[in-house]
Amino acid sequence: MDRLQQSAWGYVAEILPPEELPMLAAHALVDGHDSPALRALAGLPRRSDETEIRGLYVQALHECGVPLPDDETAGRWLLVSLAVGLANAELSPKDVVNRLSMTVAARTPEETQFLSVAADYSEWMDADALPGWETGLRTAAHSLTASTDLGSGISVPGARRD
């Protein structure tokens, strides 16, 4: 999956900030995509009007033949990306919880388990309970990544790359 296609689910899942879209468009041009809206978006400064950025982004996707996924699909991709990030040690368990920014509908037992364990987190969690919760979330992440085909070629936006 290329960068522009992957950005579509991140946009719908609300984890791709509008100020990152002009640079993403520039990278998409380098990757071989081309359209009038994509060129216009790539030329905008990061601090441009959000409405203009979003409009050009959606238009560029349309012109490049990249569909915007529905909310359910975007949410499932978000879950998988978080599980992949945790399984690959690119995200911490708390990062996962902080990035669950939208209502996600789980369709598989592994997605349900991952969401359920993530939902058990509380900032007031007893210090003795925290390691068990983190282990449970990592186990659920590994189970989810092993059971899905959604994660093929997926990367985690904003994950640390050590």
Side-chain angles (χ1 to χ4, degrees):
M1 172 183 302
D2 77 15
R3 186 186 335 235
L4 192 59
Q5 290 171 321
Q6 186 169 326
S7 74
W9 74 261
Y11 177 78
V12 173
E14 300 175 355
I15 60 168
L16 185 58
E19 64 268 11
E20 291 183 19
L21 296 175
M23 184 57 73
L24 180 118
H27 287 293
L29 288 168
V30 170
D31 292 344
H33 292 281
D34 193 17
S35 84
L38 193 62
R39 281 182 258 129
L41 180 58
L44 289 179
R46 287 176 54 95
R47 302 283 182 226
S48 296
D49 177 65
E50 261 188 46
T51 304
E52 181 182 13
I53 289 174
R54 289 177 186 276
L56 281 171
Y57 174 74
V58 171
Q59 184 179 349
L61 289 179
H62 177 73
E63 291 173 358
C64 292
V66 176
L68 278 171
D70 58 63
D71 287 344
E72 180 182 335
T73 302
R76 291 183 69 220
W77 277 78
L78 174 60
L79 275 182
V80 171
S81 75
L82 294 173
V84 167
L86 184 59
N88 293 339
E90 296 171 337
L91 297 174
S92 73
K94 288 183 184 176
D95 289 335
V96 169
V97 172
N98 291 336
R99 291 173 188 225
L100 279 171
S101 62
M102 66 181 290
T103 302
V104 178
R107 294 185 73 202
T108 68
E110 294 83 7
E111 291 171 357
T112 301
Q113 180 65 21
F114 186 71
L115 264 179
S116 176
V117 174
D120 285 342
Y121 176 76
S122 165
E123 62 184 73
W124 297 282
M125 185 177 277
D126 185 277
D128 294 335
L130 192 59
W133 171 79
E134 289 177 344
T135 299
L137 190 61
R138 284 190 177 91
T139 300
H142 285 286
S143 177
L144 176 53
T145 59
S147 71
T148 187
D149 60 354
L150 285 177
S152 173
I154 204 167
S155 65
V156 184
R160 64 179 184 255
R161 305 272 187 235
D162 296 332

